[in-house]
């Protein structure tokens, strides 16, 4: 059974991945004050020191505040570029040097989700060539993917999309945010034209574990097996979790994004997971099945 070194574990996705790992895995989970992935020397020293204690690396570490990162557009000295591109490359370099299998976590925000080129996207579809097509966050994640792929070694790029989980004190996610806004009477209109395939983190965690165990290299999409809209997702979630119907107002992301200064977001986005499911011999949950499980945990 493989043992893991995992970066970014205090975060929303990484912390759940570690929670759900079998205890025998004994993951090593350094926080940023122990190993900053932008510090190549300290990263290599850490790999050297722990070399015998792990076989696979999973990198969840990233700068993820999409609207804040937009203020850094074009700045390759900015924090998002340093962590999401250079830091990702440092981890890939170290993994290759020490011959470890690496899972690098990425996002559906690498795609434009535009009208001319809509999702859900397959794993090998053509990627944007111009940063202006996507958010700066998406661009840094895309450049991170590129660097990691160029460095090579035994690597899986795993893209996820609107990840959510039943509990986490530090960070809100798409699903818990809907519940919390509804409970406070502040739920804003949800978009009927926002195509998405949310990732239930509990399911993604077990798939990432499997990718490591099988050492499957390549690009993988981990998300619901069918697509939805933000409006449909919110309506279903509130019906299941709060037993209310027809409480969600309708909005349009296309209209919302027309206001100057908005951060670009994939309106017609989402990940097509069919190839990943086939390669791994797995059947991913529909978004409705995942919401049902999420609600059981939230209310449980
Ligand atoms: N959340 C989403 O909606 C979403 C959607 C699609 C894909 N993803 C991807 O999924 C992965 C995990 O996202 P998340 O939502 O869990 O992010 P998160 O909650 O923001 O966690 C990111 C983690 O990375 C750590 N980190 C930041 N800079 C670091 C550095 N220089 N060295 C070491 N660690 C560092 C952070 O530590 P501190 O908090 O201590 O700074 C934090 O624990 C990321 O690759 C992200 O791009 C996220």
């Amino acid at each position: 059974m493989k043992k893991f070194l995992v970066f970014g574990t205090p975060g929303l996705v990484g912390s759940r991945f570690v929670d759900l790992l079998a205890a025998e895995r004994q993951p090593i989970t350094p926080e940023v004050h122990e190993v900053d992935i932008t510090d190549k020397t300290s990263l290599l020293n850490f790999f050297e020191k722990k070399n015998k204690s792990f076989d696979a690396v999973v990198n969840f570490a990233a700068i993820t505040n999409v609207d804040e990162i937009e203020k850094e557009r074009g700045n390759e000295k900015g924090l998002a570029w340093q962590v999401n591109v250079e830091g990702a490359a440092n981890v890939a370099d170290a993994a290759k040097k020490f011959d470890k299998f690496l899972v690098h976590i990425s996002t559906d925000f690498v795609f434009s989700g535009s009208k001319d080129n809509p999702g859900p996207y397959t794993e090998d579809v053509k990627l944007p060539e111009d940063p202006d097509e996507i958010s700066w966050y998406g661009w840094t994640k895309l450049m991170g993917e590129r660097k990691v792929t160029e460095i090579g070694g035994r690597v899986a790029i795993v893209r996820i999309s609107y990840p959510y989980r039943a509990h986490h004190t530090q960070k809100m996610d798409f699903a818990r945010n809907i519940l919390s806004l509804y409970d406070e009477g502040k739920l804003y209109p949800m978009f009927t034209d926002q195509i998405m395939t949310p990732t239930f983190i509990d399911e993604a965690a077990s798939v990432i574990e499997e990718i490591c165990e099988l050492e499957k290299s390549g690009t993988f999409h981990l998300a619901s097996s069918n697509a939805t809209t933000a409006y449909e997702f919110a309506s279903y979630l509130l019906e299941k979790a709060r037993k209310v119907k027809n409480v969600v107002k309708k909005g349009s992301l296309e209209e919302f994004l027309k206001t100057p200064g908005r951060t670009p977001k994939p309106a017609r986005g989402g990940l097509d997971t069919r190839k990943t499911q086939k390669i791994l011999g797995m059947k991913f949950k529909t978004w409705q099945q995942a919401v049902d499980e999420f609600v059981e945990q939230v209310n449980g």
Side-chain angles (χ1 to χ4, degrees), residues 8-14 32 35-38 60-64 83 105-107 137 141 160-163 171:
T9 54
L12 175 76
V13 189
V32 63
V35 186
D36 180 333
I37 63 165
T38 65
F60 293 99
I63 301 299
T64 58
V83 177
I105 305 296
S106 192
T107 169
Y137 163 72
K141 292 296 292 183
I160 58 174
S161 169
Y162 290 94
K171 190 172 163 183

Side-chain angles (χ1 to χ4, degrees), residues 219-243:
T219 301
F220 299 97
H221 283 178
L222 307 194
S224 57
S225 57
N226 55 346
T228 184
T229 64
Y231 171 79
E232 189 184 29
F233 184 92
S235 303
Y236 184 84
L237 172 60
L238 286 168
E239 191 179 333
K240 293 287 167 169
R242 298 291 183 263
K243 311 284 179 227

Side-chain angles (χ1 to χ4, degrees), residues 24-269:
E24 308 88 90
R25 297 273 192 204
Q26 298 172 356
I28 304 167
T29 58
E31 293 196 17
V32 63
H33 59 87
E34 293 163 88
V35 186
D36 180 333
I37 63 165
T38 65
D39 181 344
K40 196 167 182 165
T41 310
S42 111
L43 190 66
L44 286 169
N45 287 343
F46 191 81
F47 268 67
E48 179 88 61
K49 199 166 84 187
K50 302 282 182 187
N51 190 14
K52 296 241 165 22
S53 312
F54 68 99
D55 320 286
V57 183
V58 186
N59 184 18
F60 293 99
I63 301 299
T64 58
N65 185 330
V66 181
D67 290 328
E68 278 302 307
I69 293 170
E70 197 58 23
K71 297 175 192 158
E72 295 180 4
R73 181 168 284 275
N75 181 6
E76 296 187 6
K77 298 263 180 287
L79 184 63
W81 185 277
Q82 289 308 310
V83 177
N84 298 354
V85 185
E86 305 300 345
N90 290 342
V91 174
D93 263 333
K96 189 176 177 195
K97 188 159 184 229
F98 287 86
D99 193 26
K100 309 290 183 186
F101 183 75
L102 168 66
V103 171
H104 174 75
I105 305 296
S106 192
T107 169
D108 63 324
F109 273 44
V110 298
F111 299 114
S112 69
S114 68
K115 225 177 201 167
D116 307 339
N117 179 24
Y121 299 95
T122 55
E123 293 80 349
D124 29 29
V125 76
K126 194 169 169 286
L127 289 155
E129 283 168 10
D130 184 336
D132 289 341
E133 288 180 51
I134 54 179
S135 62
W136 185 245
Y137 163 72
W139 186 251
T140 63
K141 292 296 292 183
L142 176 54
M143 292 301 106
E145 282 189 11
R146 284 225 174 119
K147 282 222 175 184
V148 167
T149 306
E150 277 162 21
I151 289 162
R154 294 175 294 134
V155 182
I157 306 277
V158 169
R159 297 190 187 116
I160 58 174
S161 169
Y162 290 94
Y164 65 101
R165 56 183 285 188
H167 307 282
H168 190 239
T169 44
Q170 287 92 339
K171 190 172 163 183
M172 217 27 141
D173 58 44
F174 175 64
R176 277 180 295 127
N177 198 35
I178 292 169
L179 295 181
S180 149
L181 288 170
Y182 172 77
D183 293 343
E184 291 165 14
K186 292 180 186 161
L187 187 65
Y188 37 68
M190 302 299 293
F191 303 131
T192 53
D193 56 355
Q194 184 182 11
I195 310 294
M196 59 199 308
T197 53
T199 299
F200 185 41
I201 297 173
D202 294 35
E203 182 175 37
S206 64
V207 182
I208 293 167
E209 196 174 350
E210 186 69 0
I211 289 172
C212 289
E213 201 54 47
L214 301 174
E215 294 212 356
K216 291 275 187 194
S217 295
T219 301
F220 299 97
H221 283 178
L222 307 194
S224 57
S225 57
N226 55 346
T228 184
T229 64
Y231 171 79
E232 189 184 29
F233 184 92
S235 303
Y236 184 84
L237 172 60
L238 286 168
E239 191 179 333
K240 293 287 167 169
R242 298 291 183 263
K243 311 284 179 227
V244 288
K245 278 188 180 186
N246 303 320
V247 291
V248 185
K249 293 199 181 81
K250 294 179 179 175
S252 161
L253 181 53
E254 201 174 318
E255 287 305 313
F256 177 83
L257 290 175
K258 278 183 188 161
T259 307
R262 297 271 192 233
T263 307
K265 301 224 166 86
R268 292 166 178 77

